[in-house]
Amino acid sequence: MPTIFTRIANGEIPSYKVAENEEYYAFLDINPLAKGHTLVIPKHVEDDYIFHLDDDVYLGLCAFAKKVAQAIKAAVPCKRVGVAVLGMEVPHTHIHLVPLNSEADLDFRKEKLALSADEFAAIAASIREEYEKL
Ligand code: AMP
């Protein structure tokens, strides 16, 4: 049974896509800590623990995440883009990229933002636009 994130990458479940290549997929977190909170996943490997990944998949994921973070930084006003890996909920390796203005912005216990579909779509479009420029 494929994970929900594999189904998202395959287009079977909708997502707010921000970037994609042959191996990796990036989309907005549906319960964001901040506007532009993005998840980055490998498409063809579901392993639920990032440090189980083969080096090539791991390094490729990090390189893809770096490029997506550059696009987020250009699209979303923030001091920097923070990185977190939890995997407590979805058993498919993913990196969280979160626009930060303070340390507290990366506190996963805080209340998540409630954004409208239009807001999600607009944020995703602006990150996609910046990604295309890189
Ligand atoms: P964790 O596995 O602890 O890193 O948490 C999983 C993250 O995936 C949470 O931040 C969720 O809000 C997010 N998430 C779960 N389902 C979806 C979905 N269908 N679309 C976007 N984000 C999701």
Side-chain angles (χ1 to χ4, degrees):
M1 175 92 175
T3 68
I4 184 170
F5 285 176
T6 292
R7 299 182 68 203
I8 283 175
N10 288 342
E12 295 161 22
I13 292 178
S15 68
Y16 297 98
K17 179 172 109 172
V18 306
E20 178 176 24
N21 65 22
E22 282 296 307
E23 304 291 330
Y24 305 101
Y25 189 85
F27 57 105
L28 295 182
D29 192 305
I30 207 70
N31 291 304
L33 286 170
K35 286 185 179 179
H37 180 168
T38 295
L39 302 177
V40 179
I41 62 168
K43 288 183 183 179
H44 310 298
V45 181
E46 293 184 323
D47 202 303
D48 77 337
Y49 187 47
I50 192 168
F51 298 124
H52 285 161
L53 298 180
D54 288 345
D55 284 357
D56 57 337
V57 178
Y58 174 77
L59 294 172
L61 181 67
C62 290
F64 180 70
K66 176 181 172 182
K67 198 170 162 187
V68 174
Q70 287 167 339
I72 295 171
K73 179 78 170 62
V76 179
C78 62
K79 285 190 177 160
R80 53 181 52 228
V81 174
V83 182
V85 178
L86 286 81
M88 300 302 209
E89 196 185 304
V90 178
H92 182 141
T93 290
H94 51 282
I95 294 176
H96 293 258
L97 298 175
V98 184
L100 302 181
N101 288 300
S102 78
E103 224 176 89
D105 293 336
L106 204 51
D107 181 352
F108 278 81
R109 294 165 301 188
K110 79 176 191 185
E111 198 175 334
K112 307 301 186 295
L113 295 183
L115 302 178
S116 68
D118 284 352
E119 286 176 300
F120 274 117
I123 295 163
S126 57
I127 299 172
R128 268 198 317 271
E129 196 176 313
E130 295 297 336
Y131 184 82
E132 296 304 326
K133 292 184 198 164
L134 295 171

